[in-house]
């Protein structure tokens, strides 16, 4: 897909926004979020009750997989809170977001919200999107040509290493959160640090008090590894393998969001598993739109893109990964070519 010939017209988004407004899709959905959060909270608490009841058993490894799912679902709720999909105002959003992110899963709400906001403003921009910084992997051939150190080491075969590396994403989220609260500038840094520390102490204490050291270690590895894979599987399909924006390349808001985003088909199961982020195009255009309204917004957005002749990209889940991994392998070619010589 190319963006070189995209028409740049700033007023197009205003018309789309009016159509979404007329459809009533900006309306809050408190009943939906009450039910969703209630189910997740019940399952999460029930999981810990089962954990303590089961005791020092290898069957706990099944719960490790269960908690990987729960951590991801809670992180997705925190994501919706950060975008003010649940509450209209900032204060309750931040309180609930810190409880969900920092306390329940050990991920800094403030750090993640800052990073994610910058991503939304400039998705797939080589200089401005923090999600495509070449710290481990390279996301464009230009990054590959100048890569050194770790990105250069992994870049040759990064498509094959992508899923194995995702097993470390959970630990990376904990590490990045801890690093963020140790640096000045993070809002409510003391509170965030206290909540993260409480999570870490409670989580590790539960494992070591109930399980033998060997079982605790295996539980930790499985839980954190599967959580990382789940998180990567939810967030990566939306943009990886879609066009990258180079420094100086400018598009209006509508085209910047649509052309760099991918939707994923799959029905209700995929909708719930991905927390609505399979409607990535609509989510990027209207981040505060309640998740449950995204499927209806899709009809409005897709029809409007057709009117404008604007490419609207949607695939199945398997194809989204094929495109993403194919892109990763393609952009690593400069490193492979240099090594071959």
């Amino acid at each position: 897909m190319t963006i070189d010939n995209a028409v740049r017209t700033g007023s197009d988004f205003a018309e789309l926004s009016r159509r979404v407004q007329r459809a009533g899709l900006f309306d809050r959905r408190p009943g939906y979020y009450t039910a969703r959060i209630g189910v997740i909270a019940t399952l999460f608490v029930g999981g810990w009750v089962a954990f303590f009841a089961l005791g020092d058993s290898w069957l706990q490894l099944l719960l490790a997989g269960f908690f990987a799912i729960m951590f991801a679902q809670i992180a997705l709720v925190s994501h919706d809170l950060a975008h003010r999909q649940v509450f209209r105002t900032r204060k309750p959003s931040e309180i609930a977001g810190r409880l969900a992110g920092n306390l329940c899963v050990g991920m800094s709400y403030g750090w993640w919200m800052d990073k994610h906001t910058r991503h939304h403003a400039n998705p797939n921009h080589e200089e401005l999107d923090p999600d495509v910084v070449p710290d481990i992997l390279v996301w464009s051939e230009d990054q590959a040509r100048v890569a050194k150190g770790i990105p250069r080491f992994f870049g040759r075969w990064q498509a094959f290493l992508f899923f194995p590396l995702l097993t470390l994403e959970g630990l990376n989220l904990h590490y990045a959160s801890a690093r963020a609260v140790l640096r000045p500038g993070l809002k409510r840094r003391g509170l965030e640090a206290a909540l993260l520390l409480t999570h870490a102490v409670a989580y590790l204490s539960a494992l070591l008090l109930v399980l033998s050291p060997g079982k605790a270690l295996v539980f930790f590895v499985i839980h954190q590894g599967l959580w990382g894979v789940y998180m990567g599987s939810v967030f990566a399909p939306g943009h990886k393998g879609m066009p990258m924006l180079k420094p100086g390349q400018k598009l209006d808001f509508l085209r910047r969001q649509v052309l760099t985003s991918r939707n994923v088909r799959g029905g209700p199961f995929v909708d719930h598993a991905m927390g609505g982020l399979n409607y990535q195009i609509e989510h990027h255009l209207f981040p505060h739109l309640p998740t449950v309204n995204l499927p209806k917004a899709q009809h409005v957005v897709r029809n409007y893109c057709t009117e404008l002749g604007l490419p609207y990209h949607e695939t199945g889940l398997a194809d989204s990964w094929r495109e993403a991994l194919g892109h990763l392998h393609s952009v690593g070619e400069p490193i492979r070519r240099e090594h071959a010589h």
Side-chain angles (χ1 to χ4, degrees):
M1 185 182 297
T2 179
I3 60 176
D4 294 336
N5 298 320
V7 178
R8 294 161 172 81
T9 306
S11 62
D12 290 333
F13 177 72
E15 171 59 24
L16 175 60
S17 186
R18 283 192 290 268
R19 295 187 185 188
V20 173
Q21 177 70 48
R22 286 198 297 268
L25 299 178
F26 290 132
D27 295 346
R28 299 286 166 172
R29 298 295 299 271
Y32 162 76
Y33 277 109
T34 298
R36 178 179 166 189
I37 294 172
V39 169
I40 292 172
T42 300
L43 290 173
F44 185 65
V45 172
W48 283 113
V49 171
F51 175 84
F52 285 104
L54 192 57
D56 188 20
S57 168
W58 285 109
L59 291 176
Q60 293 279 18
L61 301 187
L62 297 176
L63 282 178
F66 170 80
F67 279 118
I69 296 171
M70 286 296 97
F71 270 44
Q73 286 294 318
I74 292 170
L76 288 168
V77 168
S78 183
H79 165 270
D80 289 5
L81 288 162
H83 284 299
R84 299 193 190 178
Q85 295 176 20
V86 184
F87 301 108
R88 191 178 301 274
T89 56
R90 176 182 56 81
K91 188 173 182 179
S93 299
E94 290 183 351
I95 292 172
R98 289 190 175 100
L99 290 175
N102 294 58
L103 185 61
C104 291
V105 301
M107 181 178 71
S108 168
Y109 172 83
W111 161 78
W112 183 87
M113 188 174 71
D114 173 71
K115 174 176 174 289
H116 194 62
T117 299
R118 288 184 285 124
H119 157 72
H120 264 264
N122 292 282
N124 276 17
H125 191 288
E126 291 189 25
E127 285 189 342
L128 302 177
D129 183 356
D131 287 352
V132 293
V133 171
D135 49 0
I136 294 179
L137 306 178
V138 294
W139 305 101
S140 71
E141 289 194 7
D142 288 343
Q143 291 179 349
R145 292 188 185 99
V146 299
K148 298 179 181 179
I150 293 177
R152 183 175 181 80
F153 177 79
F154 285 112
R156 282 186 296 169
W157 310 113
Q158 59 185 11
F160 302 98
L161 297 172
F162 186 70
F163 276 105
L165 286 172
L166 282 184
T167 62
L168 302 175
E169 178 60 18
L171 295 178
N172 179 56
L173 291 172
H174 294 313
Y175 170 74
S177 298
R179 186 175 59 180
V181 299
L182 292 175
R183 294 178 176 176
L186 182 68
K187 185 179 179 181
R188 304 299 297 273
R189 186 161 66 110
L191 175 60
E192 293 238 358
L195 290 172
L196 287 176
L197 182 61
T198 300
H199 167 85
V201 170
Y203 174 79
L204 294 175
S205 296
L207 264 58
L208 294 174
L209 287 172
V210 173
L211 302 175
S212 66
K215 290 188 185 76
L217 178 60
V218 176
F219 183 102
F220 179 87
V221 169
I222 292 176
H223 173 217
Q224 297 295 328
L226 290 180
W227 179 45
V229 172
Y230 191 164
M231 291 291 284
S233 298
V234 167
F235 284 93
H239 300 282
K240 306 313 180 191
M242 295 301 290
M244 297 283 291
L245 299 178
K246 299 182 181 298
Q249 190 172 14
K250 296 182 179 180
L251 293 174
D252 69 280
F253 180 79
L254 174 66
R255 287 160 180 80
R256 185 164 70 247
Q257 303 300 339
V258 172
L259 295 175
T260 61
S261 302
R262 175 196 295 108
N263 276 18
V264 178
R265 293 186 296 267
F269 175 78
V270 171
D271 289 0
H272 290 295
M274 297 185 68
L277 294 184
N278 49 316
Y279 300 99
Q280 191 71 197
I281 295 172
E282 290 72 30
H283 171 61
H284 260 255
L285 288 169
F286 305 104
H288 56 293
L289 206 68
T291 293
V292 71
N293 288 348
L294 292 175
K296 294 180 180 178
Q298 182 185 42
H299 296 294
V300 179
V301 173
R302 186 163 50 193
N303 290 339
Y304 188 64
C305 287
T306 299
E307 290 179 26
L308 297 178
L310 186 63
Y312 181 100
H313 192 51
E314 184 178 32
T315 72
L317 185 60
D319 282 339
S320 75
W321 282 111
R322 179 183 57 78
E323 292 179 3
L325 295 176
H327 171 79
L328 282 174
H329 190 66
S330 175
V331 300
E333 173 60 26
I335 302 175
R336 292 194 299 276
R337 186 167 55 243
E338 186 172 335
H339 274 269
H341 295 156

